[in-house]
Amino acid sequence: SFHPCVRYKKWESDQILSFVPPDGNFRLMSYHIGSGSMAAIPVYVRHSLNWVGGTQGRLDITVGPKQTMGRPVEQVKIEIPMHKSVLNCTLTPSQGKYSFDPVSKVLVWEVGKIDQTKLPNIRGSVNLVTGATPEDTNPSISVQFAISQLAVSGLKVNRLDMYGEKYKPFKGVKYLTKAGRFQVRM
């Protein structure tokens, strides 16, 4: 979507983004990548949840970058809504911190910035309430992340021309890739 200052007819006819900027900070345009596009997701999640006993399971999750053009992956956060029969989780993260809310049954792992030399991992045990069976306990994993100066959509700014200004503007474009609704099924 475009800010109201954009001359939309110019965009439709010539694919040139022409606008008169308003005072102060503003967002010129926003866009999202649909599921039908071929943009590569720049983060991967390896996961396993194996049930070793009647009510105990082993959880192991590793998250890492892929195709980030050397850019660091930051603000990584993993959320897992666990099944209602999960009693507690005893986990050890190699990076960041985790919390498990026994009321809402949500496991949150705040990883932060991914160190490419040692990939973040969290592992440990998941316990079910007595009498529960491990069927239907494979949740989906929600992943949030941000990558500065990277546009996975391939959108690029070729040049910026300014008219009617006497000063020389700072030349540069700020790209930011953020995860929208990125889920991994276990």
Side-chain angles (χ1 to χ4, degrees), residues 87-163:
L87 179 65
N88 62 22
C89 299
T90 307
L91 304 169
T92 304
S94 66
Q95 179 179 331
K97 59 184 179 183
Y98 86 96
S99 64
F100 176 72
D101 184 359
V103 176
S104 65
K105 306 293 186 188
V106 175
L107 171 66
V108 177
W109 177 28
E110 295 186 24
V111 178
K113 183 177 177 180
I114 293 180
D115 179 9
Q116 294 185 4
T117 59
K118 186 172 187 272
L119 297 178
N121 176 274
I122 189 167
R123 63 176 53 147
S125 63
V126 176
N127 297 308
L128 300 177
V129 295
T130 306
T133 57
E135 291 92 33
D136 301 327
T137 53
N138 289 340
S140 60
I141 302 171
S142 296
V143 183
Q144 297 175 21
F145 60 87
I147 305 172
S148 296
Q149 298 303 319
L150 179 71
V152 295
S153 66
L155 183 70
K156 300 257 189 264
V157 175
N158 286 337
R159 71 176 210 231
L160 178 64
D161 295 330
M162 288 186 62
Y163 303 104

Side-chain angles (χ1 to χ4, degrees), residues 3-6 19-29:
H3 189 275
C5 71
V6 173
F19 62 98
V20 176
D23 292 337
N25 291 334
F26 69 101
R27 182 177 298 204
L28 182 62
M29 67 181 277

